[in-house]
Amino acid sequence: MSVNTSSHTERRIVFLIIFLAVMVPLIFPIGWGSEVSPIARMSYDLIDETPAGKYGLISFDYEASTITELQPMAVAQIEHAWSKGQKIIATALWPQGPQMAEASFAEAKRNPAYADKEYGVDYVNLGYKVGGIVTLQAMGSSIRDVYPKDSSGKNWDDLPMLKGIRTLKDLAWVSSLSSGVPGLKEWVMIAHDVHNVPVTGGTTAVSAPGFLPYVNDQKQLHGLLGGLKAASEYEMLIDKKGPATTKMDAQSVAHIVILLLITLGNITAFRRKRAKANLTGGQNA
Amino acid sequence: MPDLMNTIGIWLAAFFTFCIFSFLYRDNPFYKLAEQIFVGLSAGYGLIYVVYSTMVPNLFAKLSQDFSGNLILLIPFALGLMMLTRIYPKTQWISRYPISIVIGTSAAISVMRSLKTDLLLQVGATIINPFQGSTASEISGNLLVIIGTLCGVYFFYFSKKQEGLAKIPSKIGVYFLMVSFGATFGYTVMARISLLIGRLEFLRKDWLHIIN
């Protein structure tokens, strides 16, 4: 009983320390810098090297629970593509995706440089479709057949920017911001591996290690943004001090605190083990 | 009115955030309330969204506008009705037919695609000239990919007992796997802290309006 109580108390102290480690830097930012990783730069380069007037597709394959990590990526990619004169098509394989897309476009338009971007001319939100990989397979034949209307009910033919679009092959790049299945993996399977359309994407940090093998010589993925850190890297690349950048101080401090706690826990466990061994040795003697 | 609704929404979100956080102290009725409301709302939202965004435009609207021109839609309509027979134990066997069609179709598409994406192209990505890189770090990275893949796969070769010299690549494979698990754990910690940051940012900015 006493061990349990002590363990519970220790856990609560750890929770409190982590809470403070996150909250204090949010209120009093430190301004620590961060380096851009090669795979985040690959993702940036794909959009950066695409000529003006081309079409990019961002698939919003996440919901509200992961907006902290994925929304900053969406906003940064939208601003980057607009800054290069590209047009953006938003789709979603998750039901809340269209709302995420709407919020991201609204956030990007708050930047005065993009306030004049017009719906139907510079961007469209086609909305959610059920079906995952089957939907993507159908988009390979005709995007119009899958999305005869946009998320607000407007007909495909009434959206001027979609006139040049028929299939996935008409896209210059695809980016899936994904927090699970269906998501980035399905886009790699269909858009890249079948139709040879360059695919990049962003995932929550939990999913990122599973996608790293796709960033390979075969270019199954053109770079990857994994978690809040990669979102802040993308913001650095487009020279923006956005929401991901401001949260990185809290992330870094929390990581240092966790490292210290792991070290402290190991030292304590080691000392206890040694004390127990000494006690057993003494009793045997 | 929208402002009032927005304010109520923010206060509700703050209340439920604290309900969930209260689990860190111990399990309690507030946590259970928030958990169950979340599950119920998610299921309800998902159902209604699919009905209005998929079934109405793709099936009901088309059938009601031009029935004879959309006769083929009666097939998914019938399959959908067959799914509903699960409600009664005596008729639930009928639902096995639409389920088998869904599983068969999905499996067929996924197997074909996975074979290319997860096997052929992944193997292709490992067949590289390790010395093609221009810098020492690129060359060592290429070597690590080749050695790590071969040793990692060899660890899962169970047809012969791994002993003596045959044990060495298996041991190296284990180290590569451990590094991979470590990286996954690190990323998981990062993700969880990000979620906490998101909630605290909401409380600080949207609820308390403490803005720097």
Side-chain angles (χ1 to χ4, degrees):
Chain A
M1 184 67 190
S2 63
V3 174
N4 273 344
T5 314
S6 152
S7 162
H8 274 128
T9 312
E10 282 173 10
R11 282 178 60 186
R12 285 166 195 160
I13 292 169
V14 169
F15 294 148
L16 186 67
I17 291 171
I18 296 289
F19 170 79
L20 290 173
V22 171
M23 197 58 165
V24 172
L26 281 178
I27 298 171
F28 306 106
I30 307 164
W32 280 343
S34 167
E35 284 203 7
V36 178
S37 65
I39 56 168
R41 185 173 286 279
M42 268 177 82
S43 184
Y44 167 85
D45 286 344
L46 175 66
I47 298 176
D48 204 61
E49 288 161 10
T50 300
K54 294 278 182 186
Y55 296 84
L57 183 147
I58 301 179
S59 186
F60 291 78
D61 307 327
Y62 62 97
E63 54 188 18
S65 60
T66 47
I67 53 171
T68 310
E69 290 180 277
L70 299 175
Q71 199 87 341
M73 295 177 194
V75 176
Q77 283 189 335
I78 290 169
E79 289 190 14
H80 187 201
W82 278 350
S83 74
K84 292 284 164 183
Q86 297 160 24
K87 297 174 187 299
I88 301 169
I89 299 168
T91 60
L93 297 176
W94 285 43
Q96 286 183 22
Q99 285 94 316
M100 301 297 118
E102 211 169 287
S104 301
F105 284 124
E107 178 68 33
K109 283 178 78 172
R110 262 183 222 131
N111 183 336
Y114 312 114
D116 60 343
K117 292 293 174 188
E118 202 179 326
Y119 186 82
V121 177
D122 301 297
Y123 68 102
V124 290
N125 184 2
L126 293 181
Y128 161 73
K129 281 290 164 191
V130 74
I133 194 168
V134 182
T135 302
L136 302 190
Q137 181 123 327
M139 287 169 77
S141 305
S142 167
I143 301 178
R144 190 182 187 279
D145 286 350
V146 178
Y147 290 100
K149 292 176 179 194
D150 71 355
S151 61
S152 61
K154 262 190 188 163
N155 285 322
W156 175 283
D157 296 330
D158 297 334
L159 298 160
M161 71 168 262
L162 294 176
K163 274 185 183 140
I165 295 291
R166 284 177 56 248
T167 70
L168 288 177
K169 281 184 180 168
D170 296 319
L171 301 169
W173 52 267
V174 167
S175 172
S176 166
L177 304 172
S178 145
S179 64
V181 177
L184 183 54
K185 174 83 175 283
E186 283 69 22
W187 278 107
V188 171
M189 280 176 158
I190 302 296
H192 178 268
D193 294 349
V194 177
H195 300 288
N196 217 16
V197 178
V199 176
T200 186
T203 65
T204 56
V206 174
S207 319
F211 283 102
L212 288 174
Y214 297 102
V215 186
N216 54 31
D217 263 21
Q218 306 284 326
K219 290 263 170 40
Q220 285 182 284
L221 264 179
H222 277 255
L224 176 73
L225 305 174
L228 194 63
K229 165 81 167 67
S232 78
E233 289 171 18
Y234 207 102
E235 285 178 353
M236 277 175 71
L237 285 165
I238 61 167
D239 207 16
K240 175 191 179 186
K241 199 176 178 206
T245 310
T246 54
K247 288 172 190 150
M248 275 315 291
D249 283 343
Q251 186 98 47
S252 303
V253 172
H255 285 190
I256 290 169
V257 168
I258 289 168
L259 279 176
L260 291 174
L261 288 171
I262 291 172
T263 311
L264 194 68
N266 274 287
I267 291 170
T268 311
F270 180 71
R271 286 177 66 180
R272 274 186 193 161
K273 204 173 160 185
R274 222 167 70 169
K276 204 175 165 185
N278 286 342
L279 195 69
T280 318
Q283 281 171 352
N284 287 344
Chain B
M1 193 63 182
D3 280 349
L4 178 68
M5 292 308 286
N6 193 32
T7 307
I8 292 171
I10 287 171
W11 276 83
L12 274 175
F15 170 72
F16 285 118
T17 301
F18 283 119
C19 287
I20 294 292
F21 279 171
S22 69
F23 186 78
L24 295 175
Y25 186 72
R26 65 160 65 135
D27 199 359
N28 63 76
F30 287 103
Y31 172 75
K32 282 197 168 70
L33 173 84
E35 189 184 36
Q36 285 165 17
I37 286 178
F38 176 73
V39 172
L41 267 179
S42 302
Y45 180 86
L47 176 73
I48 296 300
Y49 200 88
V50 167
V51 167
Y52 284 99
S53 72
T54 305
M55 294 178 73
V56 170
N58 291 359
L59 183 66
F60 300 130
K62 284 182 180 175
L63 282 175
S64 62
Q65 281 161 14
D66 180 14
F67 184 78
S68 58
N70 291 301
L71 269 176
I72 199 160
L73 290 177
L74 288 178
I75 297 172
F77 183 64
L79 290 170
L81 286 180
M82 285 161 80
M83 284 284 251
L84 294 177
T85 58
R86 290 192 70 79
I87 296 167
Y88 301 106
K90 279 183 183 172
T91 58
Q92 66 178 333
W93 62 272
I94 299 171
S95 66
R96 288 179 191 157
Y97 292 99
I99 289 173
S100 64
I101 291 172
V102 170
I103 292 175
T105 314
S106 307
I109 291 174
S110 297
V111 165
M112 292 292 291
R113 300 292 165 233
S114 294
L115 200 67
K116 187 175 182 187
T117 302
D118 290 333
L119 188 67
L120 298 176
L121 289 175
Q122 287 287 305
V123 169
T126 319
I127 304 170
I128 48 175
N129 174 6
F131 304 106
Q132 70 184 2
S134 53
T135 61
S137 72
E138 276 181 37
I139 293 169
S140 55
N142 290 340
L143 284 169
L144 279 175
V145 167
I146 295 169
I147 295 168
T149 307
L150 291 176
C151 295
V153 173
Y154 182 77
F155 173 74
F156 293 98
Y157 175 68
F158 302 123
S159 297
K160 193 170 178 287
K161 194 173 181 187
Q162 294 173 349
E163 53 190 357
L165 274 178
K167 202 177 173 183
I168 296 170
S170 175
K171 197 89 178 165
I172 296 170
V174 169
Y175 287 121
F176 273 97
L177 289 175
M178 283 162 71
V179 170
S180 146
F181 297 147
T184 306
F185 175 72
Y187 268 110
T188 306
V189 169
M190 187 161 95
R192 300 297 175 245
I193 293 296
S194 299
L195 292 180
L196 178 62
I197 291 171
R199 280 297 78 197
L200 295 184
E201 176 85 345
F202 161 76
L203 293 175
R204 184 183 71 92
K205 209 169 171 182
D206 299 312
W207 187 53
L208 293 174
H209 301 289
I210 306 171
I211 302 168
N212 295 305

